[in-house]
Amino acid sequence: MGGGKCILQLRGVRPFFSDKYDITKHPNYKYLADYDKKNTFDVERYMKRRPAIVKPDEPFDCYEISGADLQEDAGNE
């Protein structure tokens, strides 16, 4: 099989040969790390930058859940 071909496996369809898609021709290719290394997602940097989940002065709702509530939900599935 040539480098420009692939075998696709889709649910409900028998596997078949297909031409590979050239991702450089896609309109959003410029957003990939292959196009520019600055597009690489850095998880460590993201985790350091994100704000706290709940700020000290931010109001939020608190719900109390008992074990019985969880058992009722499990019975409905």
Side-chain angles (χ1 to χ4, degrees):
M1 176 168 52
K5 295 279 187 183
C6 64
I7 299 173
L8 289 175
Q9 293 182 312
L10 305 173
R11 188 179 346 162
V13 181
R14 294 181 54 141
F16 60 94
F17 285 105
S18 180
D19 294 326
K20 288 184 179 177
Y21 179 74
D22 183 7
I23 62 170
T24 62
K25 294 181 180 173
H26 193 279
N28 292 332
Y29 176 68
K30 60 188 170 201
Y31 301 117
L32 296 178
D34 289 353
Y35 179 79
D36 189 349
K37 294 299 177 199
K38 73 176 178 115
N39 293 333
T40 303
F41 183 74
D42 185 356
V43 174
E44 297 294 328
R45 194 171 119 221
Y46 173 76
M47 295 303 288
K48 289 177 186 173
R49 280 186 351 161
R50 71 181 192 160
I53 294 173
V54 179
K55 297 175 184 170
D57 58 342
E58 182 179 353
F60 61 91
D61 296 327
C62 182
Y63 299 94
E64 196 170 319
I65 299 174
S66 68
D69 294 334
L70 296 175
Q71 289 175 347
E72 288 176 15
D73 288 344
N76 292 333
E77 291 179 11

